[in-house]
């Protein structure tokens, strides 16, 4: 059997979750007795392909075209689906990044495949892949099996390990699909960067501030701490709704779902909708002056005190340790 | 302009979720159901486009009788027509998409809105699946939308910023918080919705592509440790993060 992995790159650099997807596919292939074929799509990306060998790809397909430099949903889906058919792949894996979440449902329909979205676990049981995925905003976990002939899985970023590159380059092959003009009738024209800040969806450490910070000025010390840690700044919905922080920073059920290695929640109460977006973080620190705040129920370490005293001291201490 | 929104009826986001005795579904007792928050944004966007460009708004839900409540809510907000695609079973996302696509093909709207995800099974798939089934372009997780000259410019949220896409119409969009602020139904709207009919349609059965084996509560996290109650706890916290958790 063959597993096709879509490995996302942007501006000619792989997204970290692309490595997680390749590595996970390889782990599945090893257990199922199969082979991993990765596919990359873009413009001028030929030289990148072989790097995926280090994460376990046996072969890499390169679909290059000037029109593919930016995301075009139908064209990308056509390429991935045609590659799956050409390779006789029965499993398609990609990361549940913004792009992956958009691409996977189209690919699934094209291949008449079932889709298990945002998986946080994939295990082989009796020769079949059993996926674990959070449902009801993480308040329950479902175990599902895809019963169609072709199966599509997306993996929640930052949950599966990519390991270090093993350094073995993979052979690459050009791949092209028959694309027509209508395949490009919808496409990305530009990217509006949010001032070069680290995005919560991609950060390994997040420092989130809540309404207890009293106003937008309270985020100055949050930014300082995030700066010292190389972290992204997150926000609760209360502060986004108050206009203190932009929506793209919101963590939770109606914001972004994150699973960083370290999540520091400052003056956040830990409402159920907030927990939905961050409770799968590996380590959680809570700073809150209310010892009964629900955030302490999910926190690994807590400090019950005034954030305005703790956060600046924490920044100093972190800088001491890291020399930042 | 013919506009449509597909809306789902889901547990309130504040609901406590318990697993039913069958180990595969949730225990519905004590759970209140509401229109999925993103779907409310989808309805609102239809209403705004109608107010600007004229036309009519159809809201569609696949499910049992309970879904009528959510359809009524959308009617009360201002939708013109509500359709219940009757199905009392639980379908996977491709099964839901199939039934919605079959109906939408007949309706043939200029724009169809979906929520970016239903806050029940959190698939985040149905809208784009329907687009593909209908052979339509789509933009998902939209936070800004402009329609002009038979074309749409949509901004969607991606890592590190926003991606601006242009698309021909007809098209499918899935909504993200930030696109608009849904209105509250007016008293007049609520009263009016009571007398508006909800059209019922049968649906054809589909073969499931996903088998749900088991549903469980997530493993309980070990109780956290309160390290201290003042600034003297800070060095210990940093030590733990560095030496025990090894995350900094
Ligand atoms: C449909 C729906 C979707 C939602 N989606 C989201 C979502 O995606 N994300 C989200 O975050 N919320 C979401 N919410 C909102 C959620 O229910 C809460 O209202 C919100 O998370 C509260 O934000 P907060 O913790 O910042 O504020 P609060 O609940 O007001 O908490 C402030 C906390 O700060 C503490 N505090 C105050 N002063 C200090 C101080 N000086 N030092 C230390 N601590 C202090 C207080 O003890 C308190 O615990 C949603 C709600 C609904 C209904
Ligand atoms: N049963 C349903 N009836 C109508 N629309 C639905 C239904 N289920 C999902 N949808 C639509 O599809 C979107 C995405 O749902 P999902 O893929 O299940 O997360 C929702 O926000 C709704 O707009």
């Amino acid at each position: 059997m063959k597993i096709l992995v879509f490995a996302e790159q942007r501006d000619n650099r792989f997204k970290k979750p692309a490595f997680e997807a390749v590595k996970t596919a390889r782990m599945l292939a090893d257990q199922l007795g199969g082979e991993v074929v990765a596919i990359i799509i873009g413009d001028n990306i030929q030289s990148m392909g072989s790097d995926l060998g280090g994460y376990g790809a046996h072969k890499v397909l390169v679909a290059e075209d000037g029109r593919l430099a930016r995301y075009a949903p139908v064209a990308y889906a056509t390429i991935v689906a045609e590659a799956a058919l050409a390779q006789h792949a029965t499993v398609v894996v990609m990361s549940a990044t913004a792009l992956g979440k958009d691409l996977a449902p189209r690919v699934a329909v094209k291949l008449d495949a079932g889709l298990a979205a945002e998986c946080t676990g994939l295990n082989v049981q009796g020769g079949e892949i059993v996926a674990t995925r959070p449902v009801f905003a993480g308040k329950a976990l479902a175990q599902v099996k895809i019963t169609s002939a072709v199966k599509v899985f997306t993996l929640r970023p930052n949950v599966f390990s990519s390991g270090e590159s093993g350094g073995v380059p993979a052979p690459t092959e050009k791949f092209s699909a028959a694309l027509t003009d209508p395949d490009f009738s919808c496409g990305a024209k530009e990217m509006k960067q949010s001032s070069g800040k680290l995005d919560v969806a991609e950060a390994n450490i997040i420092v989130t501030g809540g309404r207890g910070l009293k106003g937008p000025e309270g985020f100055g010390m949050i930014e300082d701490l995030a700066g010292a840690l190389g972290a992204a700044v997150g926000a609760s919905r209360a502060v986004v709704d108050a206009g203190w922080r932009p929506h793209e920073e919101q963590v939770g059920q109606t914001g972004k779902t994150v699973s960083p290695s370290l999540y520091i929640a400052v003056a956040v109460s830990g409402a159920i909708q907030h927990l939905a977006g961050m409770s799968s973080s590996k380590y959680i620190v809570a700073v809150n002056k209310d010892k009964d705040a629900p955030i302490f129920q999910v926190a690994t370490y807590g400090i019950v005190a005034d954030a305005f005293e703790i956060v600046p001291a924490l920044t100093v201490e972190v800088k001491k340790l890291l020399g930042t | 302009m013919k506009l449509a929104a597909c809306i789902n009826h889901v547990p309130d986001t504040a609901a406590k979720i318990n697993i039913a005795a069958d180990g595969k579904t949730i225990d519905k007792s004590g759970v209140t159901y509401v229109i999925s928050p993103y779907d409310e944004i989808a309805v609102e966007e239809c209403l705004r486009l109608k107010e600007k460009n004229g036309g009519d708004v159809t809201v569609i839900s696949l499910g049992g009788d309970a879904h009528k409540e959510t359809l009524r809510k959308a009617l009360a907000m201002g939708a013109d027509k509500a359709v219940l695609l009757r199905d009392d079973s639980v379908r996977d996302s491709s099964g839901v998409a199939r039934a919605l696509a079959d109906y939408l093909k007949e309706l043939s709207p200029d724009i169809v809105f979906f929520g970016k995800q239903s806050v029940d099974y959190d698939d985040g798939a149905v809208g784009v699946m329907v687009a593909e089934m209908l052979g339509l372009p789509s933009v998902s997780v939209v936070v800004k939308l402009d329609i002009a000259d038979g074309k749409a410019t949509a901004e969607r949220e991606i890592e590190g910023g926003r991606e601006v896409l242009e698309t021909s119409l007809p098209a499918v969009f899935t909504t993200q918080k930030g696109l608009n602020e849904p209105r509250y139904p007016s008293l007049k709207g609520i009263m009016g919705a009571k007398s508006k009919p909800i059209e019922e349609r049968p649906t054809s059965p589909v073969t499931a592509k996903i088998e749900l084996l088991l549903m469980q509560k997530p493993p309980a996290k070990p109780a956290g440790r309160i390290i201290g109650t003042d600034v003297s706890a800070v060095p210990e916290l940093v030590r733990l993060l560095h030496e025990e958790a090894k995350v900094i």
Side-chain angles (χ1 to χ4, degrees), chain A residues 8 10 15 71 73-74 97-99 101-102 105-106 108-110 112-117 130 133-148 185-194 197 199 201-202 205 229 237 240-241 247-248 250 253-256 261-262 264 272-273 279 281-285 296-305 309-310 313-314 317-318 321-322, chain B residues 11-17 19 26 33 37-38 93-94 116-117 119-126 128-133 135-141 143-144 155-168 176-178 181 208-219 221-235 237-238 240-242 244-248:
Chain A
E8 182 179 351
R10 199 195 290 172
K15 293 261 152 196
Y71 183 46
V74 178
T97 55
L99 194 160
K101 283 196 250 193
D102 188 74
R106 269 197 192 269
V109 171
K110 284 185 186 291
D112 200 22
L115 165 66
V130 174
R133 48 183 309 271
V135 292
F136 297 95
K139 292 177 217 168
L141 293 175
Q143 283 190 14
V144 302
K145 206 167 75 178
I146 303 180
T147 49
S148 49
S185 72
C186 171
K189 298 295 167 227
E190 61 167 313
M191 157 85 181
K192 288 188 179 169
Q193 211 88 28
S194 37
K197 282 181 307 186
D199 193 293
E202 294 191 300
I205 303 181
L229 287 164
R237 174 163 167 181
V240 172
D241 285 355
H247 177 257
E248 68 216 34
Q250 184 183 319
Q253 194 157 10
T254 42
K256 289 178 177 163
S261 347
L262 174 59
I264 304 181
I272 198 156
Q273 297 95 347
S279 58
S281 305
K282 283 168 205 98
Y283 288 88
I284 297 169
V285 170
F296 286 120
Q297 284 162 25
V298 298
T300 332
Y301 308 119
I303 298 183
V304 182
E309 282 171 30
I310 301 301
L314 186 53
E317 205 65 26
V318 166
L321 175 75
L322 303 177
Chain B
D12 177 17
T13 56
K16 292 240 180 317
I17 297 294
I19 313 296
I26 64 160
Y33 278 68
Y38 300 107
S93 47
S94 61
K116 76 155 184 176
Q117 86 192 44
V119 303
D120 51 0
Y121 291 94
D122 292 325
D123 289 299
V126 168
V128 176
M129 282 181 168
V130 168
E132 177 62 28
M133 288 170 179
L136 292 180
S138 61
V139 184
S140 57
V141 197
V143 286
K144 188 166 187 286
E155 292 186 12
R156 72 187 217 99
E157 217 171 54
I158 65 169
E159 298 85 1
R162 290 174 172 197
E163 195 170 51
V164 185
L165 286 93
E166 269 175 23
T167 179
S168 58
Q176 166 69 318
K177 180 173 171 268
E181 205 47 64
K209 294 187 166 70
I210 303 274
E211 186 189 344
L212 198 140
L213 304 170
L214 179 71
M215 200 143 79
Q216 286 170 306
K217 297 274 268 187
K221 285 220 170 211
R225 226 185 305 167
I226 301 295
I227 304 166
T229 53
D230 58 34
V231 72
S232 67
V234 169
L237 174 63
V238 172
L240 288 166
L241 291 175
H242 185 59
E244 190 177 85
K246 299 191 170 66
V247 285
I248 63 173

Side-chain angles (χ1 to χ4, degrees), chain A residues 12-99:
Chain A
N12 300 45
R13 288 184 57 181
F14 281 114
K15 293 261 152 196
K16 181 172 163 278
F19 300 136
E20 297 164 9
V22 173
K23 185 76 173 188
T24 306
R26 177 57 184 265
M27 183 252 338
L28 294 172
D30 286 349
Q31 291 180 59
L32 293 163
E35 203 183 304
V36 175
V37 180
I39 182 160
I40 58 175
I41 303 178
D43 190 27
N44 282 319
I45 49 170
Q46 175 65 40
S47 60
M48 303 172 62
S50 58
D51 292 356
L52 295 176
Y55 295 92
H58 293 100
K59 180 168 88 177
V60 180
L61 305 178
V62 182
E64 268 187 320
D65 186 325
R67 296 175 296 176
L68 297 169
R70 291 182 190 281
Y71 183 46
V74 178
Y76 271 50
T78 304
I79 293 169
V80 175
E82 284 194 17
L85 292 172
Q87 295 292 321
H88 305 289
T90 48
V91 174
V92 177
V93 174
M94 62 186 86
S95 181
T97 55
L99 194 160

